[in-house]
Amino acid sequence: MTVIDADRAEGLRLLRESAGAISPRGGSLAAVRALRDSETGFDRAVLAEMGGLGWLGLRVPDASGGAGLGVAELCALAEEMGHGLRPEPLVAIATIAAPLVPEPDVLAGRRVLLPAWAERPHTLDPFGDTIATSDEAGVRLSGRKLAVPMAAGADGFLVTAREGETPIVALVERSAPGVALTTASTVDGGHLGTLSLDDAPARRVASDASALVARLLDEASVATAAELLGLMERAFAITLDYLGTRHQFGRPIGSFQALQHRAADLKIQLELARAAVGHAASMCDTDAPAERRAAAVSLAKARASDAAMLITRQAIQLHGAIGYTDEADIGLFLRRAMALATSFGTATAHRRRYAACAPPLDLDA
């Protein structure tokens, strides 16, 4: 893992502080509650505010109108968004849409493009059965993409497909002929879209895209792990505060040794996830070999997903009966963890990839 120098560490601190304008630490979750089960699932005005702050173009080079910053900076922002449970698709746009289509409206958040890459559960292969065929205007797409988060709020989709044996990425407008979108609600009040394409006209944005898409999806995965890290950190802090204020038998329940042991175990899982996310971000930033990067990213995503589910479930139990009510904020963290844990690959899919990519142990060393 690379050591972040003092100047970059200060930049990361300032970036985290700037996030308070949208997702203040310890702030009210009333706005997030109001967005649950809405048509888009997120606030486009807030997304435009993110664009105005330069967040959506954070991974876009300076020459293309972006900030040209690294994955560590993106993870810092994603972690802060996790603290506030913000539902805007910052990660999907900053890691995939903006680098592929660095147009001013996309970078400013006025035009929402979302990646549509998944075709089968528990697999990380972005190039499956979706077919692209060339025509005079560009390409036409036929196939189906699953589990597109917040798809109803998109103006267009960046679709991975195969043109013969060549992996490509093409941009299809939501309103284009041959495009059908259905959505299903998720437990956090958002939704997942299924995108069906029947000879839909599209614009090619990348060819021979296998290595490029693999890198972008890795960055999206580690940023999602960072978002989970922020989520579980705040859920843990809320729970510790509750253990210190809730009294039973004349004492704070946090003074009971059994609960202290449970809290200590959760803290260990939180810090292990933090270390894994930091290592994966540094592997992305240092242009490590693809297999080493993939192994580090999959380790981080699987660990963060599992830790977030453990910590948020335990948090609800440690709150007692009130934790199970919808009025209690702690339940929002479990619901969001359930949605993010499957975003950009489930823990199962990432464990399988880690097993395939991790270097073998040298037992004789």
Side-chain angles (χ1 to χ4, degrees), residues 121-365:
H122 305 303
T123 179
L124 299 177
D125 180 13
F127 297 102
D129 299 327
T130 300
I131 302 300
T133 55
S134 294
D135 67 7
E136 295 177 355
V139 295
R140 290 186 172 273
L141 301 174
S142 295
R144 189 175 70 149
K145 295 294 185 178
L146 308 177
V148 183
M150 304 302 185
D155 300 308
F157 301 94
L158 290 159
V159 178
T160 53
R162 289 192 181 276
E163 185 179 14
E165 295 300 318
T166 303
I168 73 165
V169 181
L171 169 58
V172 61
E173 300 296 331
R174 181 182 172 185
S175 59
V179 174
L181 178 67
T182 59
T183 61
S185 297
T186 52
V187 292
D188 63 336
H191 62 270
L192 296 175
T194 296
L195 185 67
S196 299
L197 305 163
D198 183 9
D199 202 34
R203 170 165 64 95
R204 185 198 321 268
V205 297
S207 293
D208 295 318
S210 181
L212 170 62
V213 169
R215 178 176 64 80
L216 297 181
L217 287 175
D218 277 348
E219 292 187 9
S221 295
V222 71
T224 302
E227 195 171 351
L228 283 163
L229 179 63
L231 176 157
M232 69 178 96
E233 184 177 53
R234 186 170 178 189
F236 183 68
I238 290 172
T239 303
L240 285 186
D241 182 67
Y242 182 79
L243 294 179
T245 57
R246 174 79 168 93
H247 282 65
Q248 202 170 55
F249 307 116
R251 299 166 54 192
I253 60 174
S255 66
F256 300 151
Q257 191 174 60
L259 299 188
Q260 291 176 353
H261 288 172
R262 287 174 69 179
D265 288 341
L266 298 181
K267 179 65 171 177
I268 289 171
Q269 294 304 315
L270 173 60
E271 295 306 323
L272 288 173
R274 188 188 309 281
V277 170
H279 176 61
S282 72
M283 294 292 280
C284 292
D285 276 337
T286 54
D287 292 325
E291 281 207 348
R292 289 183 58 201
R293 181 193 71 218
V297 167
S298 283
L299 174 63
K301 182 57 166 63
R303 182 173 285 282
S305 297
D306 289 344
M309 292 302 301
L310 173 66
I311 289 170
T312 53
R313 283 172 171 161
Q314 289 285 312
I316 286 178
Q317 291 183 18
L318 289 167
H319 273 75
I322 193 173
Y324 291 88
T325 65
D326 188 64
E327 290 77 9
D329 281 348
I330 195 64
L332 299 177
F333 290 84
L334 173 59
R335 294 183 180 94
R336 183 65 173 153
M338 292 173 71
L340 284 178
T342 62
S343 185
F344 293 105
T346 63
T348 298
H350 278 287
R351 277 192 287 268
R352 287 174 179 165
R353 190 175 72 154
Y354 177 79
C357 294
L361 293 175
D362 185 356
L363 299 179
D364 296 326

Side-chain angles (χ1 to χ4, degrees), residues 57-122:
L58 190 144
R59 292 290 295 136
V60 176
D62 294 346
S64 298
L69 297 179
V71 176
E73 284 78 8
L74 175 63
C75 285
L77 279 179
E79 186 177 338
E80 296 304 310
M81 295 305 103
H83 268 276
L85 300 182
R86 290 304 318 182
E88 288 73 30
L90 167 67
V91 168
I93 295 173
T95 58
I96 299 176
L100 286 173
V101 188
E103 298 172 353
D105 281 352
V106 175
L107 299 183
R110 293 187 295 267
R111 176 163 155 77
V112 180
L113 303 181
L114 297 179
W117 63 275
E119 293 187 5
R120 301 182 186 90
H122 305 303

